[in-house]
Amino acid sequence: MINFLIVGSFYAKAQQSYSSLIFLADSLYKAKNYQDANKNYISGFKLEHKNKIDLYNAGCAAALAGDQVTALKFLNLSVKQGWIDIDHLKKDSDLVSLHDLAGWKQVVSILQAKIDQMEASYNKEAKVALEEAYQTDQDIRIEFIAIRKKESNQSKKADSLYKLMIYHDSLNTITVTKILDKYGWLGEDKVGNKGNLTLFLVVQHASLETQQKYLPMLRMAAKKGRARLSSLALLEDRVALGEGKKQIYGSQLSSIPNNPNKYYLAPLLDPNNVDKRRAAMGMQPLADYIKAWDILWDIEEYKKQLPQYEEWAKGVKK
């Protein structure tokens, strides 16, 4: 998502495809232009309405635009297409204006019934193991990132936490690969949202050999709707860089040599079309994504610096 002005030529092109309309709607939503975001979501869903996350975001935009009927319609469609995160739905401040409506209670009721039915067919043993792995994976990283920001990468505490993180990653990898080898890539319908996400997180944090082994499984899972397309994009990029190639979706950043608190976008294939590829995987525009690392996306400057980034990447790989 990104803030930008809409020009006539761009808008005309945007009408040509679903992904362009949703890309534009997401951008308007981020810019808090909820009325126009709602209009573009509506136009996009005239072409197709299969993506549960797009539908959910559209429901939020419509609610904030004061279009309660459309908001409830999109939320119902999102649930129909597989949205199951009921806790997020109930706590989402974007949807507060709907809470007193009968239609809202119906959405929550339908979703709860769907979850109850799904839970009856959960692989409970795998779900419990994955949720424990999720907690370990995230807790140590949250603590490590906080210390790194406060004390830098070179501090003794940061170094100690990093080593502990690697240790926990190795244990989680054993847990997750056993599940993958036994059951395949389990979808949300078998292990819930958190358990499904954990499969990706742990593989992403594992060795290159492990990533290479399970990438084809993730590709198939994403194709069948058992994993997020954005998760696939991140793992594709990690494996590509690990193999000495350029990343495809621009999801990976690296520290600048001798300046570990400054980052650069790791070598990227075809920078001119990266946002088209990202949009197809349900990812926000690159400029907005890398802003969190204090990087300003200047495509021409990036292409000039790319040879230097490739040299730095070789040093990282060694």
Side-chain angles (χ1 to χ4, degrees):
M1 298 178 181
I2 188 173
N3 301 340
F4 59 89
L5 294 174
I6 308 166
V7 294
S9 60
F10 181 85
Y11 183 71
K13 292 179 181 178
Q15 295 182 83
Q16 296 175 3
S17 72
Y18 170 82
S19 61
S20 295
L21 282 164
I22 299 303
F23 179 95
L24 178 56
D26 286 344
S27 301
L28 291 164
Y29 177 84
K30 183 64 184 292
K32 298 184 179 181
N33 185 345
Y34 304 123
Q35 297 289 344
D36 287 338
N38 187 32
K39 291 176 184 176
N40 281 279
Y41 279 124
I42 291 171
S43 296
F45 296 141
K46 287 179 180 177
L47 301 177
E48 66 174 78
H49 46 268
K50 299 177 181 179
N51 188 301
K52 62 187 177 184
I53 297 175
D54 290 345
L55 287 161
Y56 180 86
N57 289 339
C60 292
L64 291 167
D67 188 351
Q68 296 174 330
V69 172
T70 299
L72 291 170
K73 175 185 175 181
F74 288 156
L75 291 175
N76 272 301
L77 284 170
S78 178
V79 170
K80 185 177 180 180
Q81 292 300 327
W83 179 275
I84 61 169
D85 194 344
I86 194 168
D87 290 334
H88 184 89
L89 179 83
K90 289 179 177 179
K91 295 176 183 177
D92 197 330
S93 60
D94 289 352
L95 303 174
V96 170
S97 64
L98 307 178
H99 286 191
D100 292 332
L101 303 177
W104 168 261
K105 295 177 175 61
Q106 184 179 18
V107 170
V108 174
S109 177
I110 290 171
L111 180 51
Q112 186 61 62
K114 185 174 183 179
I115 291 171
D116 291 343
Q117 185 177 10
M118 286 174 58
E119 286 180 348
S121 63
Y122 274 166
N123 183 326
K124 294 182 176 59
E125 182 180 359
K127 183 174 182 292
V128 169
L130 288 170
E131 289 182 353
E132 288 177 356
Y134 176 89
Q135 211 62 48
T136 304
D137 180 277
Q138 292 299 293
D139 286 351
I140 190 70
R141 279 177 166 76
I142 290 169
E143 188 176 0
F144 173 69
I145 291 170
I147 290 297
R148 189 175 62 180
K149 286 181 178 179
K150 184 179 179 182
E151 302 181 9
S152 87
N153 286 342
Q154 282 72 40
S155 74
K156 289 183 178 179
K157 190 166 185 180
D159 182 62
S160 177
L161 281 171
Y162 179 76
K163 291 175 180 176
L164 184 61
M165 184 168 67
I166 297 302
Y167 170 72
H168 283 305
D169 284 351
S170 66
L171 296 180
N172 284 341
T173 299
I174 293 170
T175 297
V176 166
T177 55
K178 282 182 178 178
I179 290 171
L180 289 171
D181 290 342
K182 185 174 182 179
Y183 301 109
W185 204 283
L186 296 168
E188 291 183 358
D189 59 327
K190 296 300 180 185
V191 289
N193 178 62
K194 187 181 290 185
N196 176 254
L197 179 60
T198 303
L199 294 172
F200 157 70
L201 288 174
V202 173
V203 170
Q204 181 190 223
H205 296 149
S207 67
L208 175 60
E209 291 75 18
T210 299
Q211 293 170 356
Q212 290 169 321
K213 178 179 178 180
Y214 294 102
L215 178 56
M217 189 183 290
L218 176 54
R219 286 173 181 154
M220 187 59 67
K223 185 177 181 180
K224 294 181 177 180
R226 295 176 187 161
R228 302 176 187 181
L229 289 172
S230 57
S231 296
L232 174 59
L234 264 68
L235 192 59
E236 293 278 14
D237 280 354
R238 287 218 173 188
V239 170
L241 291 171
E243 293 175 344
K245 303 172 186 175
K246 294 178 182 178
Q247 60 175 326
I248 302 167
Y249 301 101
S251 66
Q252 305 299 305
L253 293 93
S254 296
S255 297
I256 293 175
N258 302 319
N259 195 348
N261 292 319
K262 283 286 188 178
Y263 298 89
Y264 68 96
L265 181 67
L268 173 66
L269 182 72
D270 184 21
N272 288 336
N273 293 298
V274 63
D275 276 337
K276 292 179 182 178
R277 299 192 297 271
R278 289 176 65 86
M281 304 301 274
M283 304 168 78
Q284 65 191 139
L286 185 59
D288 203 40
Y289 174 68
I290 63 176
K291 196 185 299 181
W293 286 271
D294 296 322
I295 301 174
L296 179 64
W297 179 236
D298 182 331
I299 189 168
E300 296 305 323
E301 183 63 25
Y302 180 81
K303 286 188 284 189
K304 289 179 185 177
Q305 295 295 328
L306 188 54
Q308 177 66 75
Y309 296 157
E310 290 179 294
E311 286 301 311
W312 287 349
K314 289 177 184 177
V316 171
K317 194 170 184 293
K318 290 176 183 177

